[in-house]
């Protein structure tokens, strides 16, 4: 894969946009999720590590995929990027459920690092998807 400076810039920009969408999504979607838990008589801290990891993964993945669709990406690369987010979560949940790792903070850090690396790997597997000019905003979501 040969990248020119402009295609490298688009690649980096896409990666940064995905990270921003993830963290904004987590911040924005956390409030209604916590409110729904409170309405059900449960607090965030009562969920348990696995449920918290899954909730955070969904809070980050949904807006990231929505942003990709808005920016004109088809469902396949959007799904690949979602898989790059959710697979590390499933591994972290399995480690927690199996009692192999009991430190929730360590699981969360590992999950997030693996998500970021997974996103990068997904992008590197399809460089043309992430280095070319992408569709204009607004003409993206047709399917």
């Amino acid at each position: 894969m040969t990248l020119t400076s402009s295609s490298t810039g688009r690649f980096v920009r896409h990666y940064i946009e995905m990270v921003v969408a993830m963290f904004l999504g987590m911040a924005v979607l956390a409030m209604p999720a916590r409110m729904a838990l409170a309405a059900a008589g449960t607090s965030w801290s009562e969920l348990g590590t696995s449920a918290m990891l899954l909730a955070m993964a969904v809070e980050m993945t949904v807006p990231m995929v929505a942003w990709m669709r808005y920016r004109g990406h088809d469902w396949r690369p959007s799904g690949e990027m979602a898989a790059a987010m959710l697979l590390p979560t499933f591994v972290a949940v399995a480690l927690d459920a199996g009692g192999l790792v009991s430190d929730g903070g360590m699981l969360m850090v590992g999950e997030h690092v693996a998500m970021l690396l997974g996103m990068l790997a997904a992008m590197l597997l399809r460089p043309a998807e992430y280095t070319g000019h992408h569709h204009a905003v607004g003409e993206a979501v047709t399917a």
Side-chain angles (χ1 to χ4, degrees):
M1 161 176 89
T2 304
L3 297 176
T4 65
S5 62
S6 63
S7 64
T8 301
R10 284 190 292 275
F11 187 91
V12 170
R13 178 179 159 204
H14 178 82
Y15 187 82
I16 291 169
E17 284 180 2
M18 295 300 93
V19 172
V20 168
M22 286 168 46
F23 286 102
L24 282 175
M26 191 167 49
V28 170
L29 294 177
M31 188 185 321
R34 302 321 177 266
M35 290 170 56
L37 282 172
T42 304
S43 72
W44 178 250
S45 60
E46 292 174 304
L47 279 183
T49 301
S50 291
M52 288 191 311
L53 294 171
L54 284 168
M56 287 187 349
V58 170
E59 290 169 357
M60 291 187 287
T61 302
V62 168
M64 184 192 64
V65 169
W67 184 252
M68 285 185 70
R69 295 292 295 151
Y70 179 74
R71 296 285 284 153
H73 294 274
D74 289 330
W75 280 112
R76 181 176 180 161
S78 300
E80 292 168 350
M81 200 62 73
M85 297 288 294
L86 296 173
L87 289 175
T89 302
F90 298 148
V91 170
V93 167
L95 291 171
D96 179 49
L100 298 170
V101 179
S102 59
D103 182 345
M106 187 166 83
L107 284 169
M108 187 182 308
V109 169
E111 173 196 36
H112 285 77
V113 169
M115 285 174 168
L116 294 170
L117 293 173
M119 288 170 47
L120 181 59
M123 290 174 66
L124 289 171
L125 289 172
R126 294 188 188 280
E129 179 74 25
Y130 302 103
T131 59
H133 281 295
H134 235 288
H135 324 301
V137 173
E139 58 182 72
V141 183
T142 57

